[in-house]
Amino acid sequence: MTATRESMPYDVVIVGAGPAGLSAGIRLKQLAEERGQELSVCILEKGSEVGAHILSGAVIDPKGLDELLPDWREDDSCLMNQVPVTSNHHWVLTRTKKTNLPHLMMPSFLDNKGTFTGSLGNLCRWLAGKAEALGVEIFPGFAAAEVLYNENGSVKGVATGDMGVARDGSHRPDYQPGMELHARYTFFAEGARGHLTKQVKQRFDLEANCQPQVYGIGIKELWDIDPAKHEPGKVVHTQGWPLTGAWGGGWIYHQAGNQVSIGFVVALSYKNPHLSPFEEMQRWKQHPDIRPLLEGGRRVSYGARAINEGGYQSIPKLAFPGGALIGCSAGFVNVPRIKGSHTAIKSGMLAAEAAFEAVAADRAHDTLQAYEDGLHGSWVADELKMVRNVEPFVAKFGATAGTLLAGTDMWMRTLRIGLPFTLKHKPDHEQFMRRDIAPRIAYPKPDGVISFDKLSSVFLSNTNHEEDQPIHLTLRDPEVPTRVNLPEYDGPEQRYCPAGVYEYVEEAGRSRLQINAQNCVHCKTCDIKDPLQNINWVVPEGGGGPNYPNM
């Protein structure tokens, strides 16, 4: 017998309590307060609390925050973990040396003047407090698992996932059916490669007139270091070693409390199936200009997340009947600046303004064309147009030549004489070479001091899932891993996953893919990079996944 789901009506339902979703909720309530109107707004968050699934470097451009909450600098609770950037460094690494590129070589818009570094998760927690004070209802621990549609095909809202479903699909004693949330307009703010965003993109053909989205994987660690080595506000970005035949780079951000955020990004366009982004980061930390900073320190947190890298040409249609994509669900990351929170905030504000006017006019479930037009007429679009050829230049011509071409194009655009074309993308999952023609990569064993293994890393992410629930990493065809992935690509899911979710085990003389779903940190890399797109990431029970305290 199927349990009946209860429903709750709202004017606007927002899926995801990241910078975009929270900003949308705040802006909707600000407008309602200014106009003296009633407006109901709900935000669903699959993490156990707001910020639990937020991971970023982060160096934050306050431009969006300045527009949303102009007096935010006067609030000590927001500034507590944010440190103004005091110096910028860009290192080109070889195995044993570094070259510090003069900042004058960079276009002016890559300057970090006026930015700050700190925890984006904590910023979201602060934004959530502001939203709730305005009357936004936020429900952490509830994962939006299904898109609901009206009879005319427009988005009606979303339903949360059932709780208490056992691994075999039966109902445990603690079973509770999901809740339906109906709305005039539903915003999808799930972050990069959102589960429901994929569905609405396909249903409404939102990517018909754009390039495919491409991604990187960012792997991050927080370290407590020797106070004598700490330089608050120092920002370092690296490129070059240890990557070969792939592109990406590292970061080192000196944040509050003698803590550094370090991380490594690998573009998922890499071709060698033997490459492991996790191992590349562990190797990167051993560089003679990086290891000394960490020696004597202690690693305190770990996590990973996919990053949109497609740029302006990969932005899909943003508005559709009853719904809109905001933030990284749409993909507004400025790749060379390595920033996306400011554009996410602005997109949430623009969608909120369009939805508010629609609700005020007693509209519902139509297309918010004002949001689409507003975004493409805003500084978000201007900023992304300036850098639209950076990722495809590097992906096509390699780290050295591609960086020179990308830099030339950016400089030309600052002079309003940019190249008269926009480069295209190729989907990441189509990039792998066969295992027999790809060079093997010999990664060193972790030393347990500076470099570590995956399982001890996942432990620091505080990841937890209810074990007796359906596996949320689903296979469209369970035979593909052993029929295709293993013989042709040497089982690349073992290496591109940064959490040890996938492993091939031998049973009765045959290989079998084992999925350790409880390790999943919700990075979405498997959903992106699987060569036949056989892995489909769906939401587990609400509250599951990582619990990042300060990321």
Side-chain angles (χ1 to χ4, degrees):
M1 178 177 177
T2 302
T4 301
R5 296 191 297 205
E6 295 182 5
S7 65
M8 297 175 65
Y10 289 91
D11 290 310
V12 179
V13 167
I14 302 168
V15 181
L22 291 165
S23 299
I26 290 170
R27 186 63 184 140
L28 282 162
K29 283 296 192 176
Q30 286 175 335
L31 291 167
E33 192 173 86
E34 291 170 9
R35 304 275 188 91
Q37 297 184 15
E38 292 293 324
L39 188 79
S40 57
V41 182
C42 162
I43 301 178
L44 292 176
E45 168 54 43
K46 65 183 175 68
S48 61
E49 64 172 5
V50 173
H53 290 180
I54 298 293
L55 183 144
S56 179
V59 171
I60 299 170
D61 183 337
K63 187 172 184 177
L65 198 55
D66 286 339
E67 293 186 13
L68 179 69
L69 297 165
D71 60 351
W72 68 271
R73 289 176 175 81
E74 300 170 16
D75 190 329
D76 291 340
S77 64
C78 182
L79 294 171
M80 184 164 46
N81 291 309
Q82 312 300 340
V83 177
V85 172
T86 56
S87 65
N88 288 283
H89 306 268
H90 192 102
W91 297 349
V92 178
L93 303 182
T94 63
R95 183 180 295 274
T96 58
K97 297 180 180 179
K98 77 170 190 293
T99 299
N100 198 351
L101 292 182
H103 200 68
L104 289 174
M105 293 179 63
M106 311 290 178
S108 60
F109 59 80
L110 296 183
D111 198 321
N112 279 318
K113 183 177 180 180
T115 63
F116 57 93
T117 182
S119 165
L120 186 62
N122 286 341
L123 179 61
C124 287
R125 291 179 177 97
W126 178 80
L127 287 172
K130 294 294 183 183
E132 288 180 320
L134 288 167
V136 177
E137 298 179 34
I138 302 177
F139 298 119
F142 288 88
E146 179 186 351
V147 183
L148 305 175
Y149 297 97
N150 293 302
E151 290 184 4
N152 65 1
S154 62
V155 173
K156 181 180 183 179
V158 295
T160 63
D162 295 348
M163 305 287 280
V165 178
R167 177 69 60 94
D168 62 5
S170 63
H171 292 176
R172 303 195 309 257
D174 60 344
Y175 172 78
Q176 289 184 328
M179 172 82 71
E180 292 191 1
L181 294 101
H182 301 164
R184 291 173 179 251
Y185 299 100
T186 303
F187 293 172
F188 296 88
E190 300 176 282
R193 197 70 170 197
H195 163 55
L196 299 185
T197 299
K198 281 202 317 178
Q199 295 179 27
V200 296
K201 280 183 174 181
Q202 182 175 8
R203 184 180 182 101
F204 295 103
D205 201 13
L206 301 181
E207 295 181 306
N209 297 310
C210 70
Q211 288 294 301
Q213 185 60 260
V214 292
Y215 302 86
I217 177 175
I219 300 173
K220 176 181 177 178
E221 297 178 354
L222 284 179
W223 283 69
D224 290 333
I225 64 167
D226 182 347
K229 301 176 184 178
H230 190 249
E231 302 177 57
K234 181 179 180 179
V235 166
V236 177
H237 293 111
T238 80
Q239 67 181 83
W241 189 87
L243 292 176
T244 301
W247 76 278
W251 77 78
I252 305 168
Y253 301 157
H254 289 245
Q255 299 179 342
N258 298 317
Q259 198 165 75
V260 292
S261 161
I262 67 169
F264 201 80
V265 177
V266 177
L268 291 177
S269 57
Y270 71 85
K271 300 180 185 303
N272 188 338
H274 304 303
L275 185 147
S276 165
F278 175 87
E279 297 293 352
E280 294 294 339
M281 180 187 178
Q282 301 308 310
R283 187 158 63 163
W284 171 80
K285 289 187 293 178
Q286 300 287 3
H287 191 276
D289 285 290
I290 298 173
R291 182 182 174 103
L293 176 70
L294 305 177
E295 288 178 331
R298 182 173 67 96
R299 188 176 70 148
V300 296
S301 193
Y302 169 87
R305 189 67 171 93
I307 306 165
N308 294 301
E309 293 189 341
Y312 188 74
Q313 59 268 52
S314 293
I315 296 175
K317 183 172 173 54
L318 301 172
F320 44 93
L325 305 181
I326 63 176
C328 284
S329 278
F332 302 123
V333 172
N334 184 320
V335 174
R337 292 192 71 201
I338 323 176
K339 293 176 180 61
S341 58
H342 64 305
T343 53
I345 288 171
K346 181 63 173 177
S347 73
M349 293 175 65
L350 289 168
E353 289 162 5
F356 178 82
E357 295 299 337
V359 173
D362 200 27
R363 290 162 44 198
H365 306 127
D366 59 353
T367 299
L368 294 172
Q369 190 60 40
Y371 165 50
E372 186 101 31
D373 296 341
L375 190 288
H376 287 284
S378 73
W379 55 258
V380 174
D382 293 341
E383 185 174 315
L384 295 182
K385 287 176 184 177
M386 289 282 286
V387 300
R388 62 182 180 262
N389 284 331
V390 171
E391 195 282 342
F393 262 134
V394 180
K396 184 175 181 64
F397 295 103
T400 302
T403 298
L404 291 172
L405 288 167
T408 300
D409 187 40
M410 286 191 289
W411 268 112
M412 291 173 68
R413 292 187 188 281
T414 63
L415 302 173
R416 300 184 184 278
I417 53 171
L419 297 175
F421 53 80
T422 299
L423 295 174
K424 298 180 179 181
H425 297 302
K426 183 178 180 181
D428 294 320
H429 70 273
E430 297 179 1
Q431 300 277 11
F432 274 139
M433 297 186 289
R434 296 196 321 271
R435 62 182 290 178
D436 56 328
I437 61 174
R440 292 273 178 178
I441 303 175
Y443 290 111
K445 290 184 178 180
D447 59 20
V449 178
I450 302 298
S451 56
F452 302 91
D453 62 18
K454 287 182 180 179
L455 293 185
S456 64
S457 299
V458 172
F459 177 78
L460 291 179
S461 71
N462 301 306
T463 293
N464 182 59
H465 295 90
E466 166 61 53
E467 288 196 23
D468 188 17
Q469 67 171 304
I471 292 175
H472 67 280
L473 303 149
T474 64
L475 301 179
R476 292 185 170 94
D477 181 347
E479 300 301 317
V480 162
T482 51
R483 191 179 73 241
V484 179
N485 288 10
L486 188 60
E488 293 193 20
Y489 306 110
D490 199 27
E493 53 270 80
Q494 302 173 97
R495 289 174 290 280
Y496 58 59
C497 173
V501 169
Y502 301 97
E503 61 177 324
Y504 283 88
V505 297
E506 294 293 324
E507 288 185 354
R510 298 185 62 186
S511 296
R512 176 182 64 84
L513 180 65
Q514 179 167 296
I515 300 177
N516 305 308
Q518 66 273 18
N519 289 0
C520 178
V521 295
H522 298 202
C523 74
K524 312 293 182 68
T525 303
C526 57
D527 194 279
I528 296 164
K529 191 62 175 170
D530 184 67
L532 293 188
Q533 295 292 274
N534 187 50
I535 297 174
N536 184 38
W537 193 101
V538 302
V539 289
E541 277 193 8
N547 283 279
Y548 298 135
N550 195 33
M551 297 284 266

